[in-house]
Amino acid sequence: MAATAAALLLATSVPGHADEIFDGLALSADLYAKGDLAGALKELGFATAAIQARMNESYGSTFPEPPAGWTADEVDAQSMAMMGMGQSVSRDYTNAEGNSVKLSMTADSPMLQSMGMVFANPMMAAQAGFQRIRIGREEAMLKDDKSGQVQILLTLGGRLLLQAEGNGVSADEVKALFGSWKIDEVKKLAGM
């Protein structure tokens, strides 16, 4: 069966389209077929890390460009999958006055289960200071302390948490930036 899996993996390759991920998976399958379980696992780990890096890069491409008069840092991506904590991608935006908004996305993290309880229970959300809002067609939660501290939370499919944290900016500015996020593309990348 292992030899069949390795043969199938190699047979389905498209000439000229091999890359480090494909090569790592093929080598892992080959080592597995030869009974080298430790080597197969090691190569599978390399391939998995490369896939996670590519996913982070893809998720990062969904972040909005900075609005006029704002700047944005490079996208920061971290994979915490090896620790069972999922993936995290974020980008910081700063206006001319030095006020900021941080957009972040967390995928496949155990903390999303507790966030789901807040979203499912309007009373719990209200007690935490959140109100329900719409971002496009998605239902999100907004917390605005009226002193420039604004937070938006949006969960997608129980697997993704999109978040905005504004410092010194209005809720409308945070909503506008959050609303320009390519959420449909995020969902597509996540297989939703």
Side-chain angles (χ1 to χ4, degrees):
M1 182 166 150
T4 303
L8 179 61
L9 184 61
L10 294 172
T12 59
S13 70
V14 179
H17 286 86
D19 62 10
E20 69 175 318
I21 294 170
F22 179 84
D23 292 344
L25 291 171
L27 180 56
S28 178
D30 185 50
L31 291 169
Y32 180 80
K34 293 176 181 174
D36 182 356
L37 300 180
L41 187 59
K42 182 179 95 175
E43 292 303 324
L44 186 58
F46 284 128
T48 299
I51 291 170
Q52 290 168 337
R54 188 150 317 155
M55 283 296 301
N56 283 341
E57 183 179 304
S58 296
Y59 282 133
S61 72
T62 68
F63 282 81
E65 291 301 316
W70 289 65
T71 60
D73 292 346
E74 292 296 317
V75 173
D76 180 36
Q78 300 175 13
S79 177
M80 301 170 289
M82 294 298 194
M83 298 179 294
M85 299 300 290
Q87 296 172 265
S88 175
V89 184
S90 64
R91 189 173 195 189
D92 292 314
Y93 299 81
T94 307
N95 66 15
E97 291 80 37
N99 301 319
S100 64
V101 175
K102 178 177 188 163
L103 296 183
S104 61
M105 187 209 74
T106 304
D108 300 320
S109 171
M111 75 176 203
L112 292 176
Q113 292 176 357
S114 62
M115 295 303 304
M117 290 187 298
V118 173
F119 273 83
N121 186 336
M123 302 258 296
M124 187 180 286
Q127 286 177 344
F130 287 97
Q131 65 182 35
R132 291 175 182 239
I133 62 168
R134 287 257 180 225
I135 301 289
R137 292 178 292 166
E138 304 294 337
E139 185 177 322
M141 305 295 261
L142 169 74
K143 185 176 191 176
D144 182 1
D145 72 359
K146 306 297 182 196
S147 70
Q149 302 297 313
V150 178
Q151 185 177 24
I152 296 176
L153 303 173
L154 170 65
T155 60
L156 297 171
R159 290 189 44 231
L160 301 173
L161 172 64
L162 279 62
Q163 184 172 357
E165 297 173 89
N167 183 16
V169 296
S170 71
D172 288 339
E173 289 175 295
V174 177
K175 285 193 283 190
L177 184 59
F178 198 100
S180 62
W181 205 333
K182 299 173 191 165
I183 294 174
D184 287 339
E185 185 65 24
V186 170
K187 290 166 67 174
K188 182 179 172 185
L189 289 167
M192 297 177 180

